[in-house]
């Protein structure tokens, strides 16, 4: 069980780092797809905070100014990856909302 969770965390961190590194060159639709893949994996692993943040990031990727919004979301990904709490999801999403306004 611990090995599969470690594998999931490694896979998610790799995907997050890839989006972060390539965000300036990716189209909004590509960002959306990659964030949605992260959301799906996080959901399968029971990582509620990361799932919620990835979902919100995917939505923001399709709006004007998406690169700034996604960058703010990515800055909270490690926090979200470390938590499976729905309460943490709300806190992290609120922090992102504050940074975007």
């Amino acid at each position: 069980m611990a090995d599969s969770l470690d594998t999931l965390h490694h896979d998610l961190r790799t995907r997050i780092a890839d989006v972060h590194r390539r965000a300036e060159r990716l189209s909004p639709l590509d960002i959306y797809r990659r964030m949605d893949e992260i959301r799906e994996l996080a959901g399968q692993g029971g990582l509620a905070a990361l799932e919620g943040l990835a979902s919100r990031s995917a939505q923001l990727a399709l709006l004007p100014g998406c690169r700034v919004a996604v960058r703010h979301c990515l800055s909270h990904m490690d926090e979200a990856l470390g938590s499976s709490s729905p309460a943490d999801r709300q806190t992290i999403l609120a922090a992102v909302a504050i940074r975007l306004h």
Side-chain angles (χ1 to χ4, degrees):
M1 176 75 169
D3 285 342
S4 64
L5 189 56
D6 288 342
T7 301
L8 175 63
H9 278 217
H10 180 273
D11 187 28
L12 287 166
R13 280 194 169 94
T14 301
R15 289 170 185 257
I16 291 165
D18 181 59
V19 172
H20 195 275
R21 183 176 54 255
R22 299 177 62 208
E24 292 299 320
R25 295 184 308 267
L26 294 172
S27 73
L29 191 54
D30 285 335
I31 294 170
Y32 172 87
R33 286 184 186 128
R34 291 166 196 259
M35 296 310 297
D36 196 52
E37 289 171 0
I38 291 169
R39 179 206 52 78
E40 188 174 330
L41 279 174
Q44 291 171 0
L47 300 169
L50 182 58
E51 180 183 15
L53 183 56
S55 176
R56 184 67 180 136
S57 300
Q59 293 167 356
L60 291 170
L62 298 176
L63 299 175
C66 71
R67 296 188 196 296
V68 171
V70 169
R71 190 172 27 245
H72 287 304
C73 290
L74 288 169
S75 71
H76 289 282
M77 288 286 180
D78 267 345
E79 277 176 82
L81 185 56
S83 174
S84 60
S85 165
D88 286 350
R89 172 177 49 201
Q90 295 305 324
T91 302
I92 293 166
L93 290 174
V96 169
I98 289 169
R99 289 182 76 180
L100 293 175
H101 293 290

